[in-house]
Amino acid sequence: MSQDHKKTFVMKFGGSSLGGSKEILQSVSIVKKYSGQSKLIVVCSAMGDTTDRLLKAIDHAKKGDLEKARKTISDIRASIEKAIDQTVEDSGLGQQCTEWAKERFGEIDRVLLGISLLRDLSPRSLDYFLSFGEKLSTSIVTAALSSAGLRTRYLTGGEAGIVTDETFGSAEPVLKVTNEKLKASLLPLIDDSVIPVVTGYIAETLEGHEVITLGRGGSDYTATLIAAAIDADEVLLWTDVDGIMSADPRIIHNARILEQISYLEAMEMSAFGAKAMQPRALEPAARKGIPVRIKNTFNPEVPGTLILSTDDAANGVKTGVKAVGSLTNVGVVNISGTSIVGSPGTAVKIFEILKEHGVGILMMSQSVSENNVSLVIRRNELPKIVRALKKDLLMEDPEVSGSSKNASSRENNTKFSKVDYEDDVSIVAVLGRGMIGTPGIAGRVFSTVAKQGINIRMIAQGSSEINISFVIKDKDRNRAVSALHEEFVEKPLEDKPVLVNKA
Ligand code: ADP
Ligand code: ASP
Ligand code: MG
């Protein structure tokens, strides 16, 4: 078969697939296996939890504790050196890689020193610092692949062609330029049987050519951006589970692998923590209709989960409830007053305050009779937003004592009378295309939860007919997820015993 008939795959290896030497060697063997029959582009995350560890080092440095910061980095360095030693067989390549890593650790140390002196750090410097996780892992994988006899080329996301706006911490690619650049840099390489090995997560600003990141979990996005630009046949996201499951396997031990789901369902699921994937990571693939497959690096024979367009995903697959997701680390803000509901100007005021503070709404509901609007936001954003709402809506003193969760109300000349909040709640969602159109599902959801004696504080249904979400206390989360998983996912297989293990 001529080369041009080969399929093109973009393969991304997540942190768990590059956790240590053993995992890297397993990932290398997968690339080697596919490289014979296909054109490949490899995208790497940082090794294991390197990004979290880098953040920890930064935290110590910001507090002025350079010693602790350096200790955290020296632990990372030890893992890196060990990985080079054990995965790059060719001693020349190993030596080169070690030298290169040494220079990177020099740069890391200079940043740490600066931060510990300034006790401050800009989003720009943070992105620069975090980029080392992917640079180091990718250089190891490149050397290990070369050492295994493959022709490779190391490229940072920026060198590959991903250029973005200046939103440090969560950059948005400038698509037209990015697509052109990616094609120009990658196509000649794969046509020449060279495997580009690209750092996930990091890119470059269009204007200043500065290092920037695509946000946590951004390597999936790197892979789909590349796939869409070069019209790849498929994206393979290699991870440590057999696919996307019907619930978080850490809560439901007998969760099922979903064989096929649509892009929209997968986006919705990733918003609820499934496979810690960025919801926007699927957009480029969805736009071009490129299938995305989630595969287990440590169990590569299993087909995994195939994510594709709604029409294709419907083929032979049941609609209705497919999965149960949940989101903790959230909080509810309740705003009450006269004429809030039905008065557009009043609601706009609330949104403006949120926008001013850069706070996104995860879920929202309103009650006409009680003239109340409830918003779910990320928990760490609660204090600042409650303070701002009280100040701007109730004309209160901005002091919100950390411990007081109680209603703060008083007579004033605004339409608002009360702002209160709960910080010990979770969102639970049942997900699946077409389920809201199926009569009776919402009723079954709420009666299942009620049977557990769990009190539902707030409900929202997406107009996309893809999820029903509700808010409950944190302590009830696992019980609600288990009960719903049993009712909707496990029940259809009555012959199998139900083994719900509560975490
Ligand atoms: P990677 O390191 O490959 O990027 P992630 O840690 O980002 O992997 O995502 C994989 C993890 O997502 C799994 O190990 C699993 O614990 C978690 N997870 C949460 N919910 C789900 C789900 N519904 N299906 C599959 N995995 C899930
Ligand atoms: N290493 C980055 C993170 O941990 C990006 C990724 O893994 O996708 O968020
Ligand atoms: Mg990830």
Side-chain angles (χ1 to χ4, degrees), residues 466-481:
I466 263 183
N467 100 41
I468 300 174
S469 336
F470 56 91
V471 174
I472 54 175
K473 287 287 183 195
D474 273 335
K475 65 174 171 53
D476 297 325
R477 177 179 77 131
N478 288 4
R479 229 156 20 98
V481 172

Side-chain angles (χ1 to χ4, degrees), residues 348-455:
V348 164
K349 195 157 182 195
I350 297 172
F351 293 136
E352 274 171 355
I353 296 170
L354 287 153
K355 187 172 166 228
E356 198 183 308
H357 290 82
V359 171
I361 303 172
L362 299 169
M363 193 173 147
M364 191 180 140
S365 78
Q366 58 180 43
S367 123
V368 177
S369 57
E370 291 171 16
N371 261 312
N372 169 289
V373 172
S374 300
L375 308 169
V376 181
I377 60 172
R378 300 204 183 282
R379 197 173 291 168
N380 61 0
E381 294 177 325
L382 263 181
K384 72 172 173 193
I385 220 60
V386 171
R387 210 175 294 134
L389 289 168
K390 286 191 174 184
K391 180 166 166 269
D392 295 352
L393 301 181
L394 304 180
M395 311 302 163
E396 273 195 7
D397 211 291
E399 267 324 295
V400 177
S401 88
S403 58
S404 161
K405 299 180 195 170
N406 293 328
S408 167
S409 70
R410 66 172 208 182
E411 284 302 313
N412 58 54
N413 57 4
T414 74
K415 290 173 177 166
F416 302 96
S417 59
K418 199 161 101 182
V419 173
D420 62 18
Y421 69 99
E422 290 175 80
D423 61 4
D424 54 354
V425 293
S426 292
I427 303 178
V428 172
V430 286
L431 309 146
R433 196 162 51 81
M435 71 180 178
I436 296 172
T438 313
I441 293 202
R444 244 171 96 198
V445 168
F446 299 124
S447 66
T448 303
V449 177
K451 266 190 224 148
Q452 296 290 318
I454 296 170
N455 187 18

Side-chain angles (χ1 to χ4, degrees), residues 56-71:
K56 215 166 100 195
I58 285 279
D59 232 35
H60 291 312
K62 267 194 343 202
K63 290 181 191 137
D65 195 339
L66 187 58
E67 205 177 306
K68 271 204 186 133
R70 281 184 164 149
K71 167 78 181 84

Side-chain angles (χ1 to χ4, degrees), residues 12 15 45-46 51 134 201 215-220:
K12 172 249 170 181
S45 288
T51 309
E134 267 67 13
Y201 180 53
R216 293 304 306 269
S219 301
D220 298 315

Side-chain angles (χ1 to χ4, degrees), residues 285-304:
R287 226 179 10 247
K288 285 281 188 94
I290 300 172
V292 177
R293 201 183 279 276
I294 315 287
K295 294 269 292 175
N296 191 346
T297 306
F298 310 103
N299 203 5
E301 303 75 36
V302 171

